[in-house]
Amino acid sequence: MSARYTGLIERYRDRLPVSDDTRLISLGEGNTPLIKLNYIPKLTGKDVEIFVKYEGLNPTGSFKDRGMTMAVTKAVEEGSKAIICASTGNTSAAAAAYAARAGIAAFVLIPDGKIALGKLAQGMMHGATVIQIKGNFDDGMQLVKEVAEHAPVTIVNSINPYRLQGQKTAAFEIVEELGEAPDYHCLPVGNAGNITAHWIGYSEYACQLGDTVTEACALCEGECQYTNVVVCSKRPKMVGYQAAGSAPFMRGEMVDNPETVATAIRIGHPQSWDRAWKVKEESGGWFDECTDEAILAAQKLLAEKEGVFCEPASATSLAGALADIESGKIPEGSKIVCTLTGHGLKDPDTAIKQSTAPMVTVDATLDAVRNAILSNMPD
Ligand code: AN7
């Protein structure tokens, strides 16, 4: 193997549905940093280790690239000339970029006025046909399913099984880096594709390690090449957090008019509903909800005190974890991974709106600039 990193399909080829002749559509996705937090764990006053998996450092700035490299690779292999998705923004950005890379067309349905500016720019810049609908993500998803029956397009939302196959590799990377699975893995939940994909990844990895027999992973459903081994080592408890105004897993039913500042997870009808409940049961985890205020506070804390800038939806994983650490639901001594699903630059409007950092406009003189420095110097 060459030293040059060429993307997650190449790296995990033996665990993904590709053959030797498959033409890989890749932008070098995956291999993202797992950053150990310094300040925030101390702030909790509890003895916990928190790592963030910074998925915002994928090529288009979100974890969607992991799934999209697989979905577009398989679409091209199967002869497809066009892909389609509904999106709250990140899926559309990834679809547009990977379609451009492959030389095929992308059609993206987005909720009119409700996606972050950076994501809109990406879809447009990569040459996708951007269709804004006067409805929300859930309306778009319904339309995509219907139109795909009448037009020669491949759906690349996470109902496309190759998406989750690509996304499961994030769990592989975490286990390899930590030496074993963490105790808790916290994620923001929208359609619940990513929490499902991580569980598949952890389960496959655990099976492959071949420790003691405990249980079969129900999620493999016979598909996994390791099912016959039926052995599992440590897997984390999976914890999914939703925005309070958009929390069907907390309500126990679909939500028709989801609202949250975290537009990426403004989803009321999750596509992986049954699978996510199974993940919760199998892993011994849970779902919870976070207010928009708690989400934005966690985003700001990460940016100001750790130097890590993620988008609001991503900070939901940390906001939820902090609440559960405080209550003791996540006990002391735990090793916790929070996935930061997307980059903060995706949504500059929300960032600037909530920023309280001092910004001053002064005359272009030495005196004025020196005064600005001295009056903002930390004590
Ligand atoms: C930053 O782009 O659904 O639970 O259409 O962009 O797997 O849906 C985005 C989802 C979390 C939720 N964080 O993941 C889309 C879309 C960010 C996201 C999620 C999304 P899932």
Side-chain angles (χ1 to χ4, degrees), residues 8-340:
L8 60 86
I9 302 182
E10 189 59 52
R11 176 161 174 191
Y12 295 112
R13 202 174 243 287
D14 56 334
R15 296 177 231 178
L16 290 167
V18 288
S19 71
D20 287 346
D21 339 308
T22 307
R23 178 185 152 215
L24 306 186
I25 311 298
S26 169
L27 291 165
E29 57 294 311
N31 200 23
T32 55
L34 185 66
I35 302 168
K36 186 169 182 188
L37 300 187
N38 290 326
Y39 180 92
I40 294 174
K42 286 197 197 101
L43 193 68
T44 67
K46 303 278 180 85
D47 172 28
V48 287
E49 282 184 278
I50 309 175
F51 295 83
V52 291
K53 181 73 168 157
Y54 195 16
E55 292 287 274
L57 291 196
N58 275 295
T60 78
S62 88
F63 73 98
K64 302 287 181 182
D65 294 342
R66 290 183 187 273
M68 206 54 74
T69 185
M70 268 308 307
V72 174
T73 289
K74 294 305 281 188
V76 168
E77 183 171 65
E78 287 158 12
S80 178
K81 296 278 182 284
I83 57 175
I84 189 168
C85 65
S87 181
T88 57
N90 279 326
T91 300
S92 59
Y98 283 82
R101 181 77 168 162
I104 62 174
F107 299 93
V108 303
L109 273 70
I110 57 171
D112 186 18
K114 288 286 188 176
I115 82 166
L117 203 60
K119 304 173 189 181
L120 182 62
Q122 288 178 291
M124 296 170 75
M125 197 66 188
H126 289 303
T129 301
V130 178
I131 304 167
Q132 300 207 60
I133 58 160
K134 294 175 181 161
N136 60 25
F137 168 85
D138 304 306
D139 300 321
M141 192 64 241
Q142 189 55 40
L143 286 163
V144 162
K145 286 179 181 170
E146 286 169 25
V147 81
E149 286 178 18
H150 303 283
V153 288
T154 303
I155 299 178
V156 294
N157 281 102
S158 56
I159 57 172
N160 176 325
Y162 299 121
R163 279 277 311 276
L164 299 195
Q165 286 298 307
Q167 285 171 217
K168 76 183 179 187
T169 59
F172 296 166
E173 291 175 13
I174 291 165
V175 177
E176 282 165 8
E177 199 153 329
L178 295 179
E180 63 169 357
D183 302 306
Y184 295 86
H185 190 131
C186 305
L187 292 126
V189 168
N191 276 305
N194 209 25
I195 196 168
T196 304
H198 277 77
W199 187 241
I200 294 171
Y202 281 121
S203 299
E204 283 189 15
Y205 211 104
C207 289
Q208 193 201 17
L209 290 177
D211 293 350
T212 9
V213 176
T214 51
E215 59 189 307
C217 354
L219 278 168
C220 299
E221 286 166 357
E223 297 288 319
C224 160
Q225 56 181 305
Y226 309 112
T227 348
N228 293 334
V229 188
V230 195
V231 284
C232 289
S233 62
K234 180 178 169 186
R235 292 182 292 174
K237 290 185 167 43
M238 303 298 295
V239 188
Y241 297 111
Q242 301 208 281
S246 181
F249 285 102
M250 290 308 292
R251 306 285 103 76
E253 60 183 16
M254 302 296 170
V255 169
D256 279 339
N257 293 299
E259 270 311 337
T260 168
V261 68
T263 52
I265 50 172
R266 188 170 165 268
I267 294 167
H269 291 240
Q271 297 300 308
S272 291
W273 179 256
D274 292 340
R275 287 191 290 201
W277 285 110
K278 214 148 113 184
V279 171
K280 171 195 169 290
E281 287 307 316
E282 273 193 36
S283 75
W286 61 87
F287 295 112
D288 212 331
E289 61 192 299
C290 305
T291 62
D292 279 2
E293 292 71 33
I295 292 169
L296 293 178
Q299 183 197 17
K300 198 141 178 283
L301 193 62
L302 273 168
E304 284 190 355
K305 300 297 186 186
E306 303 280 2
V308 178
F309 190 18
C310 68
E311 66 171 287
S314 309
T316 309
S317 60
L318 180 70
L322 289 177
D324 283 333
I325 290 166
E326 192 185 346
S327 74
K329 199 166 178 186
I330 296 180
E332 295 211 44
S334 295
K335 191 176 281 187
I336 305 150
V337 171
C338 294
T339 298
L340 301 182

